Amino acid sequence: MADMGRAVVATALGGPEVLRLVEAEVTPPGPGEVQVRVHAAGVNPWDWKSYAPGSGGRPPVRLGLEVAGVVQAVGTGVRWYSPGDEVVAWPVTGGYADVVTAPQRVVVRRPDGLDVVRAAGLLGAGVTAVHAVDATGVDDEDVVLVHGASGGVGRMVVQLAVLRGARVIATASPASHDCLRRFGAEPVTYGPGLLDRVRDLEPALGRVTVAIDAVGTREALDTSVALVRDRRRVATLVALERAAGLGVLALGHGAGADPGHDVREAARSQLTTLAADGSVEVLVTGTYPLEQAAAAHVRSRDGHTGGKLVLVTR
């Protein structure tokens, strides 16, 4: 008889009301695969976008891209992991589950200083942020403007840029300003007049030399190209369709974007080390049991979580 476990699936296209916790068969890992007993799974916007009307998803849709847990079995050819190893994995398929199987290349060991809940919320946003600061060449001579700094990717970009010695101006709503100051950034409110507000900061901080857009609004890119002389140091992670016309970097997995495979592959170990020693913070503002995935998605879609949401299985 096959082993069984629980998994969250979208049974139809729609909103969080279509999510169900169902029994799912646990299959043995194949060659080069690692089977992970999931203890926590990060919630990402792509999770609920994958079953939204018009998404192209084909129900039932398994959800969950990033997990933390313990290796419980390995397939042939796996050299780096053994049962009992504490690990983090991203990207996976179907991480909202008791057990998930993934290629060993997407798995990294979880250091002792990084707890399982924060680990589950680290890699999805963190790997994208590493790509952004690497692609724009952020260093200690830069002044970096980060749009969407209160989101998961934006918060990571801010922290990584500060770690590199850069001065950072971070756009966000006033409710997030204290948090961004704690990370070492100078916050500024987005909305009409943003360009003038950023220019008012330049005499004290220096001219903006890099801009990273993690929100995708017209305001973000228009402000960025007005401020940064070298458009090769302006990057968007969202407004990919406008990037080519403006001559700025498009980063990610959309048409014409740089996927940053090598940078992103190398980022996993870097990020777990930084999070374990406290150099970067994973701000978790809500945890939910697996059976309350729908409630987590309702909150995530609201867009004002203030931090990472994580599902826990134990």
Side-chain angles (χ1 to χ4, degrees):
M1 180 180 295
D3 291 338
M4 302 296 291
R6 301 174 303 161
V8 175
V9 302
T11 58
L13 299 184
E17 71 279 355
V18 305
L19 299 188
R20 298 290 184 272
L21 185 62
V22 302
E23 273 200 320
E25 184 177 342
V26 177
T27 57
E33 291 184 334
V34 176
Q35 188 180 81
V36 178
R37 171 66 62 175
V38 177
H39 290 165
V43 174
N44 293 285
W46 173 249
D47 296 335
W48 45 263
K49 290 177 181 179
S50 69
Y51 61 88
S55 65
R58 296 182 178 181
V61 180
R62 291 283 297 266
L63 306 174
L65 295 172
E66 58 182 339
V67 301
V70 178
V71 175
Q72 69 174 22
V74 298
T76 58
V78 173
R79 299 181 298 164
W80 305 320
Y81 302 101
S82 301
D85 290 343
E86 298 274 357
V87 295
V88 190
W90 175 91
V92 303
T93 300
Y96 290 8
D98 290 321
V99 178
V100 69
T101 299
Q104 65 175 337
R105 66 174 182 80
V106 308
V107 178
V108 66
R109 295 183 188 279
R110 178 169 67 86
D112 289 341
L114 177 59
D115 68 76
V116 70
V117 171
R118 290 186 299 127
L122 171 64
L123 293 184
V127 166
T128 301
V130 169
H131 185 195
V133 297
D134 274 16
T136 52
V138 174
D139 65 24
D140 60 2
E141 296 183 354
D142 285 315
V143 176
V144 182
L145 175 62
V146 181
H147 297 282
S150 63
V153 174
R155 283 192 302 273
M156 277 292 169
V157 170
V158 167
Q159 293 179 81
L160 292 170
V162 169
L163 276 178
R164 293 186 176 206
R167 288 151 288 172
V168 177
I169 299 171
T171 76
S173 66
S176 298
H177 286 192
D178 286 346
C179 176
L180 292 168
R181 288 191 187 96
R182 181 165 58 82
F183 289 154
E186 182 63 41
V188 61
T189 303
Y190 57 79
L194 174 63
L195 177 58
D196 290 337
R197 289 192 292 277
V198 175
R199 281 180 169 155
D200 287 343
L201 294 173
E202 286 188 317
L205 296 177
R207 184 180 179 91
V208 174
T209 55
V210 175
I212 297 172
D213 166 35
V215 68
T217 61
R218 180 169 292 274
E219 171 191 71
L221 276 183
D222 289 349
T223 300
S224 298
V225 299
L227 291 167
V228 180
R229 290 173 177 167
D230 183 354
R231 292 198 178 185
R232 295 169 299 178
R233 304 196 77 198
V234 177
T236 181
L237 305 167
V238 186
L240 306 183
E241 69 287 345
R242 288 196 68 202
L246 292 173
V248 305
L249 299 177
L251 307 180
H253 299 287
D258 167 20
H261 289 305
D262 291 344
V263 171
R264 291 179 181 233
E265 290 289 312
R268 294 183 183 88
S269 294
Q270 174 188 350
L271 287 163
T272 53
T273 298
L274 291 173
D277 69 17
S279 297
V280 299
E281 178 181 339
V282 182
L283 185 61
V284 175
T285 54
T287 59
Y288 296 79
L290 201 58
E291 55 268 28
Q292 292 182 17
H297 281 203
V298 169
R299 184 173 172 189
S300 178
R301 293 202 314 172
D302 180 58
H304 300 286
T305 62
K308 192 74 178 183
L309 305 180
V310 176
L311 302 178
V312 293
T313 63
R314 61 172 188 173

